[in-house]
Amino acid sequence: MKQLLMLASSALLLAACANQEKEYDATGTFEATELTVSAQQSGTLLQLSVEEGDSVIQAHEVGLIDTTQLWLKMEQLRANRLVIGSQKPDLQKQVAATRQQLLKARHEQQRYQELVADGAAPAKMLDDATSQVQVLQRQLDALTSTLNTQLSTLSSQQAATDVQLSQLQDQLQKCHIMAPITGNVLEKYAQQGEFVATGKPLFKLADTHHMFLRAYITSAQLQNVRVGQRVKVFADYGRQQLKEYAGVVSWISSQSEFTPKTILTDDERADLVYAVKVAVENDGYVKIGMYGELKF
């Protein structure tokens, strides 16, 4: 009789549990925006002042790669630029003597024109003066063209040097390792004093203040969910310990996919589900990979 009562009580308890409405519409795991910061230049890692778990602020310097060789190349280019600049001709001074000769020749030409007109000088003297003016004019044009070409060539060399300086300045700036976002260091891959090549991962960073709950919903639920919708999110600490957060649906997948094995949905028999992301402001307790529940 006692066994019959125990079986009856168990059956009633199971029935009550079966009829009890779920307190969530979907479950998933918490994610964060993760970035791997890599070396943008090769050289000795002089400084890397981050450790796993540290908080960093966006645009703040957290490391430095040796800049000695880049700085020396920049100094050499600056010296070359000064040398090129000193070779530029002074156009006005270079042509001043020829201009003066041409001016004098034109005065002579004008004087002989008046003398020939008055019959006081032969026409040949005017022809000679005119020829002298033409010769000097051609000399002035040739000299001006040569100097302009020389000036243009040297200016182009200076412009090329400026481009090289800008490139080195960019490389120099990339030796200063900056935090791309505000967040927490998840993993550290390099140590101070180590030689790093361009592209080598230095550390992984995550924005743990702005978290996302990635969950999956069925087609039946999809019609009741929209981007921007405010929902309730519960962080699952295990042993039925839940903490509620306000969430906003930030993304809904436009394609269905087969139900991931680790995900439970409102309709566990559904084969196809849609992924959604719910943005949550973290108070420091939610961790990446933690399970969570979602209530629309």
Side-chain angles (χ1 to χ4, degrees):
M1 183 66 178
K2 186 176 180 180
Q3 291 179 345
L4 289 175
L5 287 174
M6 291 178 62
L7 289 173
S9 299
S10 300
L12 288 173
L13 181 60
L14 290 172
C17 292
N19 293 330
Q20 184 179 4
E21 183 182 357
K22 284 185 177 180
E23 295 181 356
Y24 58 86
D25 295 309
T27 64
T29 55
F30 285 96
E31 300 177 349
T33 301
E34 297 182 10
L35 293 175
T36 299
V37 179
S38 301
Q40 294 182 295
Q41 290 295 318
S42 297
T44 302
L45 190 59
L46 299 180
Q47 176 189 351
L48 187 59
S49 57
V50 296
E51 297 296 337
E52 294 180 0
D54 286 353
S55 297
V56 296
I57 301 175
Q58 183 178 17
H60 280 210
E61 184 172 329
V62 295
L64 177 66
I65 296 173
D66 186 14
T67 62
T68 304
Q69 293 303 316
L70 290 174
W71 181 81
L72 290 174
K73 288 180 181 179
M74 290 183 68
E75 288 300 301
Q76 182 181 13
L77 285 174
R78 290 191 181 104
N80 290 341
R81 193 182 190 284
L82 290 175
V83 172
I84 293 172
S86 66
Q87 294 174 350
K88 285 186 175 182
D90 189 329
L91 185 61
Q92 298 302 320
K93 289 183 178 180
Q94 294 277 0
V95 301
T98 306
R99 286 184 186 276
Q100 186 64 30
Q101 292 175 4
L102 179 59
L103 182 61
K104 182 178 179 181
R106 283 176 176 166
H107 287 163
E108 289 293 318
Q109 181 187 30
Q110 181 65 31
R111 188 169 67 86
Y112 282 123
Q113 281 179 346
E114 295 174 356
L115 291 174
V116 170
D118 294 338
K124 185 178 184 305
M125 297 185 69
L126 177 59
D127 293 339
D128 292 341
T130 302
S131 177
Q132 181 67 15
V133 169
Q134 293 173 348
V135 169
L136 289 173
Q137 183 63 56
R138 285 193 292 268
Q139 289 178 353
L140 179 62
D141 293 341
L143 180 59
T144 303
S145 176
T146 300
L147 292 173
N148 281 330
T149 301
Q150 185 179 355
L151 189 62
S152 177
T153 300
L154 292 172
S155 295
S156 297
Q157 291 178 1
Q158 271 194 332
T161 303
D162 289 339
V163 171
Q164 292 177 340
L165 280 169
S166 297
Q167 291 174 336
L168 288 175
Q169 183 64 45
D170 179 66
Q171 294 174 18
L172 193 66
Q173 185 176 352
K174 288 178 179 177
C175 287
H176 296 265
I177 303 165
M178 315 298 288
I181 60 173
T182 298
N184 291 85
V185 178
L186 301 181
E187 297 179 67
K188 183 178 179 181
Y189 307 120
Q191 298 296 330
Q192 181 175 319
E194 183 179 344
F195 181 86
V196 295
T198 302
K200 175 181 172 57
L202 302 177
F203 61 93
K204 182 186 287 187
L205 187 65
D207 181 3
T208 54
H209 182 69
H210 303 91
M211 301 282 286
F212 297 91
L213 176 66
R214 186 184 184 93
Y216 293 85
I217 59 176
T218 64
S219 300
Q221 294 173 307
L222 186 62
Q223 61 183 342
N224 298 321
V225 183
R226 69 182 187 280
V227 174
Q229 178 179 341
R230 296 186 177 277
V231 296
K232 292 182 180 179
V233 175
F234 299 90
D236 189 349
Y237 294 91
R239 297 182 180 179
Q240 297 182 346
Q241 296 182 19
L242 302 176
K243 186 172 183 179
E244 182 178 340
Y245 294 88
V248 178
V249 178
S250 60
W251 172 80
I252 302 174
S253 175
S254 57
Q255 280 188 321
S256 62
E257 53 186 288
F258 287 102
T259 308
K261 294 181 180 180
T262 58
I263 299 297
L264 298 177
T265 64
D266 190 43
D267 182 4
E268 296 179 16
R269 295 172 299 175
D271 290 330
L272 295 176
V273 292
Y274 294 84
V276 297
K277 279 187 177 182
V278 179
V280 177
E281 293 294 322
N282 188 11
D283 57 0
Y285 292 100
V286 179
K287 306 299 181 183
I288 297 174
M290 181 183 290
Y291 285 101
E293 299 175 358
L294 179 61
K295 184 71 175 178
F296 297 124

